[in-house]
Amino acid sequence: MSLLVVGSVALDSVETPFGVKDEVLGGSATFFSTSASFFNPVKLVAVVGEDFPEAHVQFLRSRGVDLEGLIREKGRTFRWKGKYGYQLNEAQTLDTQLNVFQSFSPKLPESYRNPTHVFLGNIHPELQSQVLDQVKSPRLVAADTMNFWIQGSRQALLQTLKRVDLLFVNDAEARQLAGEHNILKAARAILGMGPSRVVIKRGEYGALLLEREHIFVCPAMPLEEVFDPTGAGDTFAGGFMGTLATSEKLDRDTLRRAMVMGSVMASFTVERFSLDRLRELTQREIHARFSEFKRLTHFEDLGPLEG
Amino acid sequence: MSLLVVGSVALDSVETPFGVKDEVLGGSATFFSTSASFFNPVKLVAVVGEDFPEAHVQFLRSRGVDLEGLIREKGRTFRWKGKYGYQLNEAQTLDTQLNVFQSFSPKLPESYRNPTHVFLGNIHPELQSQVLDQVKSPRLVAADTMNFWIQGSRQALLQTLKRVDLLFVNDAEARQLAGEHNILKAARAILGMGPSRVVIKRGEYGALLLEREHIFVCPAMPLEEVFDPTGAGDTFAGGFMGTLATSEKLDRDTLRRAMVMGSVMASFTVERFSLDRLRELTQREIHARFSEFKRLTHFEDLGPLEG
């Protein structure tokens, strides 16, 4: 099936306790599409500036990503600079330069307008809505958002959420959006805003999938080396949506497999800076790690209760 | 088989966002033995003061706990006062009155000296060692500890750890004990101190079991109502050790079942104040929640890799 992503393509400068990288490839649409490309073709909508290295374009192309929707504008590419402490769960943003992203208004090429699956990366909720205005009845619309929009563009976000089937948020964002501390209650409140499914991302603790009558608790891989968490959430979403896009079914087994695959893909991304681990990743490694997740979490059910 | 616990029997005063309770039944040995009693008989070693309500003694007796080792000394019972915010993951200790616990020196009755399984609750590591001096070759010695001993009695703790097979700690304690932030590396460092197994408790995120060549990622139950996390860790240990004590085997399936059972029992404890939820808990409810854990976490492995 066909998978569309809109989001940022950026140059990231990242500092972690394990090193520093300047102006490496980043952005939500980049991590998402690279991750999803291991499972299903992806059409990307984003904007870059004149300074965006051609090598990065070539890399995305080498992953089979459709770049007809990647436009190059006059000016500089979107830049993000962040720093992580040993906790590694939350980045401290040091600098954000929107540059060409400031006036970004997503225009979908004709060939992009019939996707079965849509992922609205973490951009202004009005831009997310503009994308939905241009697509014809997709089967599944998923979206990401963040504290900045939840606080600053709440009404626009609530409008967009009415058109979203599945929302990806982390614990803190779910709590902020719902105004409720308990994570299950927060998720249920979000289910009342439009989406029929919520994925709560919990970093090193895994993720939860919640529907009205169904919960899946998805583990994360315990890792000895976490180099750089940047892009983990979008990589998760890419593995998740890429997996769904390969299946006609949207039943619970498929959703759960997609969750674990999201977690598998994110576990690779954080092992190196930027997209470096994904650049050399093989289907065999993905498959092996999925099985490792199974081994790490499997337990036998009890027999019937005696007496 | 026979399960021995040494630890505190206390009167807790607890404040959470959901209410306040004064001088209710608490203490590590109390939560542990009540939880374990659903699976295996327990022998308890602890001290209380003259003011300890007889009703609490009756309750422990009603759970089949052997109280020959519960001594009553002149003076007041150990008291702990704590407060939780909405985060609910960590208590703020407002007051600790050791009282009769200050001069506690565990003496095991003759009938206690041949346990197969021992749980050393969170008390001074020298007292933990004293208990081990009095028992004859148990199959499994497990221990709990805390930041107070890790920082203040490190040498004594390291001596005790050489005699411990399995250590229960939370994330922060593991990091502090090992001097290592990454939780896997911290666990491996602890495996170098004596124990052949470490259980890392992560509150609402579940727990990890680590052996040199084996990891199990155990979920926690997502709960809409968490009233009072006090005793969750000891209840976990009680479900875990109680389950192990019913089995001749100590293989991975058994250890994993014990982990999930610990998580099941802890999920009940936090639903009410003190031990209130455990007072009315039934085998049927335990069984049903174990199966719910299975449903919440199950996913199908992928088929063989094509091509």
Side-chain angles (χ1 to χ4, degrees):
Chain A
M1 287 185 277
S2 59
L3 174 54
L4 172 71
V5 55
V6 57
S8 59
V9 171
L11 295 174
D12 287 348
S13 295
V14 178
E15 186 182 336
T16 82
F18 313 106
V20 179
K21 289 279 171 180
D22 269 338
E23 306 222 331
V24 290
L25 180 57
S28 60
T30 312
F31 282 102
F32 179 92
S33 58
T34 303
S35 175
S37 72
F38 284 87
F39 310 98
N40 200 79
V42 183
K43 294 174 188 299
L44 180 149
V45 179
V47 61
V48 293
E50 297 160 301
D51 58 349
F52 190 71
E54 184 58 26
H56 294 338
V57 177
Q58 288 303 332
F59 165 67
L60 288 169
R61 191 165 288 136
S62 78
R63 292 295 326 155
V65 179
D66 186 338
L67 299 176
E68 196 186 339
L70 178 68
I71 48 174
R72 205 182 266 272
E73 296 276 10
K74 274 204 171 141
R76 280 159 60 84
T77 300
F78 174 45
R79 276 164 172 79
W80 177 79
K81 188 172 184 175
K83 187 177 171 175
Y84 299 85
Y86 277 98
Q87 197 50 48
L88 286 170
N89 258 349
E90 202 163 342
Q92 181 192 351
T93 292
L94 300 176
D95 190 26
T96 305
Q97 297 173 22
L98 289 177
N99 299 331
V100 293
F101 209 77
Q102 189 134 30
S103 53
F104 179 51
S105 173
K107 294 272 182 314
L108 272 52
E110 202 51 45
S111 67
Y112 275 45
R113 296 181 181 231
N114 273 302
T116 56
H117 295 70
V118 177
F119 178 69
L120 305 169
N122 174 22
I123 57 177
H124 194 297
E126 281 173 9
L127 298 187
Q128 293 179 323
S129 272
Q130 280 178 31
V131 171
L132 295 182
D133 293 340
Q134 299 172 62
V135 296
K136 231 168 80 182
S137 52
R139 295 187 191 194
L140 185 78
V141 175
D144 187 18
T145 192
M146 71 183 293
N147 50 7
F148 187 74
W149 312 120
I150 295 170
Q151 193 178 4
S153 306
R154 189 174 176 86
Q155 285 313 311
L157 178 59
L158 292 176
Q159 287 305 314
T160 299
L161 283 182
K162 289 181 187 165
R163 307 168 72 183
V164 165
D165 302 307
L166 188 152
L167 182 67
F168 292 94
V169 275
N170 67 31
D171 310 51
E173 290 158 357
R175 289 178 172 128
Q176 188 185 10
L177 178 56
E180 164 62 48
H181 191 83
N182 179 281
I183 204 70
L184 283 199
K185 288 184 183 169
R188 291 199 202 292
I190 293 168
L191 293 179
M193 297 175 187
S196 57
R197 300 185 174 98
V198 184
V199 173
I200 312 275
K201 299 173 289 180
R202 306 161 116 187
E204 67 175 296
Y205 301 114
L208 298 175
L209 168 69
L210 294 109
E211 300 173 270
R212 210 163 297 275
E213 305 287 337
H214 172 227
I215 301 177
F216 175 54
V217 179
C218 180
M221 183 86 190
L223 291 170
E224 291 211 25
E225 305 288 349
V226 178
F227 249 69
D228 176 10
T230 308
D234 293 303
T235 307
F236 181 99
F240 180 93
M241 293 294 285
T243 299
L244 288 190
T246 62
S247 173
E248 289 289 336
K249 288 188 286 188
L250 195 60
D251 59 356
R252 289 179 182 175
D253 274 354
T254 308
L255 283 165
R256 287 173 174 223
R257 192 171 68 243
M259 286 286 288
V260 177
M261 199 55 97
S263 201
V264 163
M265 296 305 287
S267 78
F268 283 117
T269 288
V270 302
E271 288 180 354
R272 302 267 179 86
F273 278 104
S274 180
L275 288 97
D276 290 355
R277 185 63 180 90
L278 300 186
R279 286 175 193 270
E280 57 179 38
L281 188 63
T282 66
Q283 292 291 348
R284 190 167 298 277
E285 287 176 310
I286 294 170
H287 212 86
R289 188 159 290 183
F290 192 104
S291 296
E292 209 175 332
F293 266 74
K294 187 69 192 166
R295 277 195 302 279
L296 283 168
T297 57
H298 178 76
F299 60 94
E300 296 292 334
D301 203 352
L302 300 171
L305 184 59
E306 289 153 34
Chain B
M1 288 185 276
S2 59
L3 174 53
L4 172 71
V5 54
V6 57
S8 60
V9 171
L11 296 174
D12 286 349
S13 295
V14 179
E15 185 181 336
T16 83
F18 313 106
V20 179
K21 288 279 172 180
D22 269 338
E23 305 223 330
V24 290
L25 180 58
S28 61
T30 313
F31 281 103
F32 179 92
S33 59
T34 303
S35 175
S37 72
F38 284 87
F39 309 97
N40 199 79
V42 183
K43 294 174 188 298
L44 180 150
V45 180
V47 60
V48 292
E50 296 160 303
D51 58 349
F52 190 70
E54 184 58 26
H56 294 338
V57 177
Q58 288 304 331
F59 165 68
L60 288 169
R61 192 166 286 136
S62 78
R63 292 294 328 154
V65 179
D66 186 338
L67 299 176
E68 195 186 337
L70 178 67
I71 48 173
R72 205 182 265 275
E73 295 276 9
K74 273 203 171 144
R76 278 160 61 84
T77 301
F78 175 45
R79 275 163 172 78
W80 176 79
K81 189 172 184 174
K83 187 177 170 175
Y84 299 85
Y86 277 98
Q87 197 51 48
L88 286 169
N89 258 349
E90 202 163 342
Q92 181 193 350
T93 292
L94 300 176
D95 190 26
T96 305
Q97 297 173 21
L98 289 177
N99 297 332
V100 293
F101 209 78
Q102 189 134 32
S103 53
F104 178 50
S105 172
K107 295 272 184 313
L108 271 53
E110 203 51 45
S111 66
Y112 275 45
R113 296 181 180 230
N114 273 301
T116 56
H117 294 70
V118 177
F119 178 68
L120 306 169
N122 173 24
I123 57 177
H124 194 296
E126 282 174 8
L127 298 188
Q128 293 179 323
S129 271
Q130 280 178 30
V131 171
L132 295 182
D133 292 340
Q134 299 172 61
V135 296
K136 232 169 79 183
S137 52
R139 294 187 191 193
L140 185 78
V141 174
D144 187 18
T145 193
M146 70 183 295
N147 50 7
F148 187 74
W149 312 121
I150 295 171
Q151 192 178 6
S153 306
R154 188 173 177 86
Q155 286 313 311
L157 177 60
L158 292 176
Q159 287 305 313
T160 299
L161 283 182
K162 289 182 187 165
R163 307 168 72 184
V164 165
D165 302 307
L166 188 152
L167 182 67
F168 291 95
V169 276
N170 66 32
D171 310 52
E173 290 158 357
R175 289 177 172 129
Q176 188 186 9
L177 178 55
E180 165 61 51
H181 190 84
N182 179 280
I183 204 69
L184 283 199
K185 289 183 184 169
R188 290 199 203 292
I190 294 169
L191 293 179
M193 297 174 186
S196 57
R197 299 184 174 99
V198 184
V199 173
I200 311 275
K201 298 173 290 180
R202 306 161 115 188
E204 66 175 297
Y205 301 115
L208 298 175
L209 169 69
L210 294 109
E211 300 173 270
R212 211 163 296 275
E213 303 288 337
H214 171 227
I215 300 178
F216 175 54
V217 179
C218 180
M221 182 86 189
L223 291 170
E224 290 212 24
E225 305 288 349
V226 178
F227 250 70
D228 175 12
T230 309
D234 294 303
T235 306
F236 181 99
F240 180 92
M241 293 293 286
T243 299
L244 288 189
T246 61
S247 173
E248 289 290 335
K249 287 188 288 189
L250 195 60
D251 59 357
R252 289 180 182 175
D253 274 353
T254 308
L255 283 165
R256 286 174 174 224
R257 192 170 67 243
M259 287 286 287
V260 177
M261 199 56 97
S263 202
V264 163
M265 296 304 288
S267 78
F268 283 118
T269 288
V270 302
E271 288 181 354
R272 302 267 179 86
F273 278 105
S274 179
L275 289 95
D276 290 356
R277 185 64 180 90
L278 300 187
R279 287 175 192 271
E280 56 179 38
L281 188 63
T282 66
Q283 293 289 349
R284 192 168 296 276
E285 287 176 310
I286 293 170
H287 213 86
R289 187 159 290 183
F290 193 104
S291 295
E292 210 175 331
F293 266 74
K294 186 70 192 167
R295 278 194 302 278
L296 282 167
T297 57
H298 179 75
F299 60 93
E300 297 291 334
D301 204 352
L302 300 172
L305 185 59
E306 290 152 34

